Each structure stands twice: as C-alpha cells, then as structure tokens.
Amino acid sequence: MHDDDEVGGRVTLAAVAKEAGVSMPTVSKVLNGRSDVSRATRTKVERLLETHGYRRRGQSAPRSPLIEIVFHELDSIWSMELIKGVENVAKENRATVALTESGTRHTPAPDWLPGVLRRRPLGVVLVFSALPEDVKRRLRAAAIPFVVIDPAGDPDPDVPSVGSANWAGGLAATRHLTDLGHERVAIVTGPEDMLCSLARLDGYRSALAMAGLETDPRLTRFGDFHVRGGFEHAMDLLDGPDRPTAIFAGSDLQALGVLEAARVRGLRVPEDLSVVGYDDVPPAQWSSPPLTTVHQPLRQMAEEAARMLLRPDVPGTAAQRIELATHLVVRQSTAPPEEA
C-alpha cells in the first residue's frame, strides 16, 4: 500500500485514514479483507472509501488473473452453461475461472467475502437474486468489480446485471400451446419468492387471456427448478379425470420430471400430454421425445457478465442492466390435443 494511492483523484488514503481516525495500516487491512479489524472500524473505513469513489492504481493493487463465479449450487446443467460462458471470456483475456459454492439462491454466505478480498480477482460474477449492502460496499471498497447474473429479474438499481426476458418467454411457451388448441394448460413455475418465476407465470396468464381462457388456480404450481419437483407436481396434476392436456414447466429440469410423471401415469407425449420446458439446456434435445422449450441464452448471459467486469468503464458501481431475448424452440414434445 502506498501513500500516493488515489481516491477518485481527490483524496489520498492517508486523508481517508485521518478522517476515519485510524492508521494507514488499518486502512490497508480493510482493503485486503483482513479479519483483525473491528466491525465498526471496517464499516467506517469502507463507507469513506465508497463515498470518495476509491479506485486503486493498477501498479499498487496487483490482481489475480482470474474471474470468480459464485453460485448457491453447482449441481445443475444450468450452472454448467454459465460456467462455460465465463470460461470463454476468461480464455480470451488469458485468465482462469474460480468456482465458489456459497449461500442460498438469494445471497452468498458471509464467510465467502473475506476469501474473495484476499484473492483479489479481476472481477466476480454472482448468480444470486440480491446482494446485501455490506457485500456491495466491501467489494467496492476493495475495487473488485462485480456483476450479477440475475435469476430473479429485479436487481438492485445500483448493481450491474445481466438477465433475460422472462415474461416474454412465459408468453411464447403458453401461446404455442393455446395456438395448438390446448385449453387446459398447467404451469409448474419456479419458487414463489423469485421474480423470474412470477414473470414467467404472468406471461402464462397473459397468453391464456389472449386466447380467451380463464386461469385455473388448480393448474398453477410453484416448483424448485429441479427434476424431482417437476415430477411430484406433475404426478399430482395428472391424477384424475380433469387433468391438463399440456404442462408448461419453468425449467427444462422440471420438464424432464414432467415427462417421467407422464410415463408413470401411462400417458403418451405429445399425443396425450404436451410439454414445454424453459432454458434449452443441451439435454433438452435428447429427451424422449425431444423437448419443446424456451431458449434462455445462458452461455451468452455469462459471457456478457464477464465482459462487463473487464470493461474499464464498468468499475463495479455502474448500474448497467443488460436483458437478452428469449425465443421458443419447437421440437417433438408438443402437438394438438387429440380431441381438438
């Protein structure tokens, strides 16, 4: 750490230390994520650094040649598509990719932050619906750029993010089914506390209204984006004489569960039941039958997020939002209902 480090070209770190009433070594510890600083002191220093727009000079703040991507889980095909996208950009910039599993689908766990402050990556891609103010403040104080690949569709206004058109995707999936003549269309969307799930549900409802159909609350289910959840909801939906003739699943993994439930119930796809997924992950085209699905450009979303990190004009405080288009990919899992 050097005295000539600049804070927004206006104030030196020595001045920040003086204003905070601490020593220069204490400011250095805060910047480098050291744990031997009291919480009150850390917060005071970080807020001053953020207030003054602190940016380290490149020569005094060596970076690790890596891009870190943080998930709450790494066991899905969805995650692999995002990793591949970040990896593509990392290779272009002679960087490597570090993977971290932490927290819940909403935020990373608190114990992740000290580690990333020590690693000092080129930037961090976070696959979460929100970031606590403390996390944002400490990343900015350490001049570590971050971008959210936002699964919920409603990032904080001060967080750079990449998302996709969830409402349009839900609309396209459901309109495809109503255009085929389906009138009893069920939906197994994602978790109720994620706005992407609600946006896809709103698209579904809008498509039904456009077709002159009423929304039946008995045909609406909130899943978890995993195969088991899709299977269990579909088993219940398909139990009884007044079953739906089509199911829109809010993820391809859930759609795979729906296909298995149809098999268990003795229903043919698409003759007895049409199924539409969401994401268009690679296995979707190899399911039996190949899955009609909404293509969400996961790999491109990750590439855009990684490029945002590496642009000098996006230092981590700019609230740039990129939303990529979705589109329907029609395969063999949908057909007109037999009675139509």
Side-chain angles (χ1 to χ4, degrees), residues 283-336:
Q285 62 184 307
W286 301 109
S287 66
S288 182
L291 187 65
T292 294
T293 185
V294 176
H295 178 79
Q296 182 173 209
L298 296 171
R299 199 173 301 193
Q300 186 182 353
M301 288 163 64
E303 290 172 349
E304 287 290 342
R307 290 191 183 104
M308 286 172 72
L309 291 176
L310 301 176
R311 291 175 192 150
D313 59 331
V314 185
T317 57
Q320 182 180 3
R321 168 72 175 177
I322 296 176
E323 185 169 280
L324 302 180
T326 54
H327 66 269
L328 187 70
V329 179
V330 178
R331 298 193 180 103
Q332 285 76 56
S333 67
T334 51

Side-chain angles (χ1 to χ4, degrees), residues 50-70:
E50 182 178 4
T51 297
H52 292 297
Y54 171 73
R55 291 291 173 271
R56 280 172 164 172
R57 287 180 178 173
Q59 65 267 29
S60 60
R63 298 282 190 180
S64 299
L66 62 86
I67 298 173
E68 186 158 342
I69 180 167
V70 190

Side-chain angles (χ1 to χ4, degrees), residues 162-198:
V162 180
S164 67
N166 289 291
W167 181 86
L171 180 77
T174 312
R175 283 198 68 178
H176 172 65
L177 294 169
T178 58
D179 287 348
L180 287 172
H182 291 278
E183 296 183 358
R184 286 192 58 75
V185 180
I187 180 173
V188 182
T189 188
E192 194 168 4
D193 60 353
M194 294 183 70
L195 288 181
C196 66
S197 307
L198 299 178

